[in-house]
Amino acid sequence: MLTMMVTLSAENPYKVYTQGLPFEMPEVNAPQIPDRQVLLSDYDADGTGQRLCTDAFVRAITALTAKGGGRLVVPSGIWLTGPIVLKSNIELHLEHGAVIQFAADESLYPIVQTSFEGLDTRRCQSPISAVGQTNIAITGDGAIDGNGQYWRPLKKSKVTESQWKTLTSQPGGVMKRKDYWVPSQGYDEAEQMSSMNVPDKELSDEQWQHIKRFLRPVMVSLVGCKNVLLQGVIFQNSPAWNLHPLMCENIIIDGVLARNPAYAQNGDALDLESCRNALIVNSKFDAGDDGICIKSGKDADGRRRGRPCENVVVSGCTVFAGHGGFVVGSEMSGGVRNIMVSKCQFLGTDVGLRFKSTRGRGGIVENIYIDGISMNDIKTYALTFNMYYGGKSVAEVLAEGGQPQQVQAMPVTEETPIFRNIDIRNVICSHAGFAMEFNGLPEMPIDGIKLKDIVIRADHDATFQYSKNITRDNVNIILE
């Protein structure tokens, strides 16, 4: 099987991705998983989806760990479970027809200390998680479903009438407005005391429990792990972000499909945050929010962590619906550098290439190389640099009249975001609403962007504000 070939081959098949880069990056290898395996079905697990298998997953992983690790094989079937915690030297392998379905029961997901949207906070435990582990993998041909509709709020404008009736019929939900529904009373109260999706006041343990459904987790949370492989699996229907490697090193995401419904609020497909030495290759992303997103923490929490997202290769990927195809930010306070994006296609995203931040972030985004992007049916901008991100999609901002054109300069401090030295070439877009937007800060213009061999067919031309040293070589914008 492909996973074992990758693990055991003397020649690293991923070596090609780190050769000839415009920056130094070490070779990334797949994790070394011991050559032994157990079947989940051997641990009294029920593959009909009628009975929880949480204990079976725990016992199987514990048994493998006691022997030094190996492969936990999930056979064809529906395996209903609570959270799965991966350990070092463990490969979770889903065979054809295997579906891991996470149960819609908040009592199974304890509140844990973690990071979400770049801030130190509490959330419910993720359906799949690992903290500080080495050599871990999720591979195979099956699917992992996060039962996200149990956790997420819903905007009526995002769904059909039939979907609205079905999704809002869940017990315990609250209709905040005729066009906005949340899944619990505690969720409603939490929104009133939160900035974005994180409570911004001190809460007692009892209050945290009361707002538990609001603390919807990312589906796959890998924190501080080394040597990680996600390969072949379908990851879908997450409560919040889908895949979230945080402060990981040597990570390979190969041939996966990460998808969420178009109406999934905060349903990012992939958020790679403060990671080092990462390959994202030959994968597909289809989400209700950003597709492939690079982050490094938010504001003071991100600056205090001080870990950039660096040495990342994105190659051969497709992004379908979503707010952005390839995205940097808005949480980039620890910095982003040494990123190569090539041979990707964005089909029907709101934005193609999206760089976003705002005052208060700080952080430096630099040495980004983008080469060979094909785009079709881009709803707003083929390329945007926007330093005034306020939590809304570009489409929502445009519907409200767009960004202010005249902005007063502010003093430059550690809270001032910096975007510089970005090379974008060999891009073709068959249609976009707008060609390009450069919307920097007067005190810190977007600096040193090279545009070469670019063709964009769009309804509206490019705009440049508070930007400098922008070079254009064979850039053709065809207005339709």
Side-chain angles (χ1 to χ4, degrees):
M1 300 184 102
L2 180 59
T3 304
M4 298 307 289
M5 288 174 61
V6 167
T7 302
L8 300 178
S9 174
E11 178 65 27
N12 177 15
Y14 295 108
K15 182 178 180 179
V16 63
Y17 293 106
T18 53
Q19 294 177 330
L21 295 174
F23 50 85
E24 292 293 325
M25 178 174 171
E27 192 174 317
V28 181
N29 289 273
Q32 296 296 308
I33 304 296
D35 189 16
R36 68 173 62 86
Q37 71 177 35
V38 298
L39 289 173
L40 181 67
S41 51
D42 290 341
Y43 289 83
D44 192 32
D46 173 25
T48 69
Q50 302 301 308
R51 179 166 54 88
L52 281 174
C53 303
T54 313
D55 184 60
F57 276 104
V58 171
R59 289 189 293 116
I61 291 172
T62 300
L64 275 173
T65 299
K67 297 177 181 179
R71 170 187 277 194
L72 170 54
V73 176
V74 182
S76 177
I78 304 293
W79 309 91
L80 184 68
T81 183
I84 297 171
V85 179
L86 296 178
K87 300 296 184 181
S88 292
N89 304 311
I90 295 294
E91 176 184 352
L92 180 64
H93 181 80
L94 286 75
E95 293 187 332
H96 275 292
V99 178
I100 296 176
Q101 174 79 61
F102 287 98
D105 180 354
E106 68 178 49
S107 69
L108 298 174
Y109 305 85
I111 296 174
V112 297
Q113 193 73 32
T114 186
S115 174
F116 183 63
E117 294 201 337
L119 297 175
D120 298 331
T121 185
R122 298 185 190 185
R123 308 294 291 182
C124 287
Q125 182 173 330
S126 289
I128 295 181
S129 65
V131 179
Q133 304 302 300
T134 300
N135 294 327
I136 57 175
I138 304 174
T139 68
D141 301 295
I144 297 174
D145 189 292
N147 225 326
Q149 68 277 2
Y150 172 77
W151 300 89
R152 293 188 300 258
L154 189 66
K155 295 178 180 178
K156 190 172 184 179
S157 61
K158 300 284 188 179
V159 296
T160 66
E161 189 65 33
S162 175
Q163 289 172 322
W164 176 254
K165 289 180 179 179
T166 299
L167 293 167
T168 59
S169 65
Q170 299 178 67
V174 174
M175 194 71 69
K176 292 189 65 171
R177 303 185 305 268
K178 65 179 182 180
D179 60 350
Y180 184 56
W181 175 90
V182 296
S184 71
Q185 181 64 42
Y187 199 113
D188 180 25
E189 296 175 18
E191 283 196 326
Q192 300 173 39
M193 63 173 81
S194 299
S195 174
M196 300 291 284
N197 295 295
V198 176
D200 55 10
K201 60 181 289 187
E202 294 293 327
L203 301 178
S204 66
D205 289 343
E206 183 178 1
Q207 287 174 310
W208 281 108
Q209 291 294 329
H210 180 63
I211 66 169
K212 194 171 184 181
R213 194 79 69 87
F214 177 77
L215 307 175
R216 51 196 172 101
V218 301
M219 188 164 77
V220 179
S221 174
L222 308 174
V223 181
C225 296
K226 182 178 288 189
N227 306 336
V228 176
L229 175 66
L230 306 181
Q231 186 184 69
V233 174
I234 298 169
F235 299 90
Q236 69 173 27
N237 200 17
S238 57
W241 296 348
N242 200 322
L243 306 177
H244 184 209
L246 170 64
M247 297 185 290
C248 293
E249 186 171 347
N250 301 334
I251 178 168
I252 299 169
I253 299 174
D254 178 13
V256 306
L257 169 59
R259 67 174 194 163
N260 278 327
Y263 55 80
Q265 194 161 316
N266 310 113
D268 295 17
L270 168 64
D271 291 280
L272 191 77
E273 183 173 356
S274 293
C275 290
R276 188 169 187 268
N277 302 333
L279 305 180
I280 304 164
V281 298
N282 307 319
S283 294
K284 295 179 174 62
F285 305 93
D286 190 0
D289 211 305
D290 289 328
I292 303 167
C293 196
I294 309 297
K295 299 178 180 289
S296 64
K298 184 176 181 179
D299 299 346
D301 284 357
R303 295 194 299 272
R304 182 168 51 251
R305 180 198 297 162
R307 294 188 56 167
C309 203
E310 60 183 342
N311 298 348
V312 178
V313 173
V314 180
S315 181
C317 292
T318 301
V319 182
F320 299 100
H323 288 176
F326 173 76
V327 183
V328 175
S330 73
E331 304 96 79
M332 36 60 68
S333 301
V336 174
R337 63 192 181 210
N338 297 347
I339 312 291
M340 183 75 210
V341 183
S342 66
K343 303 175 184 175
C344 292
Q345 51 192 356
F346 308 144
L347 308 176
T349 54
D350 284 358
V351 176
L353 300 166
R354 185 182 189 192
F355 297 83
K356 56 180 176 174
S357 188
T358 190
R359 287 166 171 155
R361 294 284 190 267
I364 300 174
V365 173
E366 62 183 350
N367 301 340
I368 314 295
Y369 303 88
I370 298 171
D371 187 356
I373 306 297
S374 300
M375 307 185 205
N376 181 45
D377 188 26
I378 304 302
K379 304 298 189 297
T380 64
Y381 292 96
L383 166 64
T384 174
F385 289 84
N386 183 8
M387 301 298 105
Y388 303 91
Y389 179 69
K392 296 181 179 180
S393 70
V394 175
E396 289 171 322
V397 171
L398 289 172
E400 295 173 358
Q403 298 285 352
Q405 294 303 304
Q406 297 299 322
V407 181
Q408 184 175 355
M410 301 289 287
V412 174
T413 70
E414 67 173 5
E415 297 184 355
T416 306
I418 299 171
F419 283 67
R420 65 192 184 195
N421 302 335
I422 298 173
D423 189 300
I424 303 173
R425 60 183 62 201
N426 297 314
V427 174
I428 185 165
C429 177
S430 67
H431 180 262
F434 299 80
M436 293 186 284
E437 172 194 42
F438 284 67
N439 197 10
L441 299 171
E443 67 271 18
M444 187 60 67
I446 301 159
D447 187 9
I449 312 301
K450 297 179 180 179
L451 305 172
K452 183 177 181 180
D453 296 333
I454 293 174
V455 178
I456 300 174
R457 302 182 71 93
D459 296 331
H460 302 278
D461 206 346
T463 59
F464 297 85
Q465 178 171 257
Y466 304 126
S467 56
K468 64 180 183 179
N469 300 319
I470 311 299
T471 61
R472 286 177 279 183
D473 180 3
N474 193 30
V475 174
N476 295 293
I477 297 173
I478 303 167
L479 296 182
E480 299 182 319

